[in-house]
Amino acid sequence: MDGAVTRPPSRADFRFFLAHKVRYVELDTQGIVFNAHYLTWYDEAVSDYIRAAGWDYQAEVKASGADFHVVRGLVEYKVAIGRAARLEIGARATRIGRSSIAFQPAVFPAGGDSLLATGEIVWVLTDQATRRPTPIPDRLRELLTAFEGRDFTAPG
């Protein structure tokens, strides 16, 4: 998502999905999902994804005094989505840096393979007292490595 040419994600690229049914309130005057709602879906999917990987978000924030801040939110629209559409929002970690994690969300029809939207969410872990970046805990890196079955210490 950083400008490099990559293939669009497929449903098979994701281990985690969040089910969602489009509500009337999420539509714009054209009868399709208003753009800002995609970021809400992405945020919810990414948050549930790291919990599914075993990270107790609230307990970790309380214990460490560090919390994540979104520093990048990107949406790429592929197909317009209308009212009552049943969706599954996939989420996966794509990169873990020193103090940041990049996630790729992707929207598919429930049970379907057609990519409706994708994007990128980047979180930076920040010490809440100083508002300065702080290193990603080894435990979180290990949980995401095990959940995704890939080595996040290797480039790419």
Side-chain angles (χ1 to χ4, degrees):
M1 311 276 25
D2 60 4
V5 177
T6 59
R7 71 168 177 77
S10 71
R11 185 179 191 83
D13 294 329
F14 296 88
R15 297 195 42 166
F16 176 85
F17 292 92
L18 174 70
H20 182 75
K21 181 180 175 188
V22 175
R23 302 167 301 148
Y24 173 78
V25 70
E26 294 173 313
L27 304 180
D28 63 15
T29 58
Q30 298 170 336
I32 60 174
V33 174
F34 180 68
N35 60 66
H37 292 290
Y38 288 81
L39 289 171
T40 300
W41 299 347
Y42 291 0
D43 188 59
E44 187 176 6
V46 166
S47 295
D48 284 3
Y49 164 84
I50 65 163
R51 280 191 281 281
W55 187 249
D56 186 341
Y57 194 105
Q58 295 303 326
E60 294 292 341
V61 169
K62 187 175 182 180
S64 69
D67 199 355
F68 287 99
H69 293 252
V70 174
V71 297
R72 179 175 169 84
L74 173 70
V75 179
E76 289 187 21
Y77 309 95
K78 304 295 184 183
V79 177
I81 300 172
R83 183 168 190 231
R86 294 188 182 276
L87 308 172
E88 290 174 326
I89 298 106
R92 66 181 177 156
T94 57
R95 185 187 51 76
I96 303 176
R98 189 189 80 73
S99 61
S100 66
I101 304 175
F103 300 95
Q104 181 176 47
V107 181
F108 299 93
D113 293 325
S114 300
L115 180 63
L116 305 177
T118 189
E120 183 179 50
I121 300 295
V122 178
W123 285 359
V124 171
L125 187 61
T126 305
D127 179 293
Q128 294 302 284
T130 64
R131 299 286 189 212
R132 301 295 306 153
T134 189
I136 299 295
D138 290 339
R139 175 156 161 61
L140 179 53
R141 190 181 304 274
E142 291 162 6
L143 285 170
L144 293 176
T145 294
F147 191 69
E148 287 294 337
R150 79 174 265 211
D151 182 5
F152 284 105
T153 60

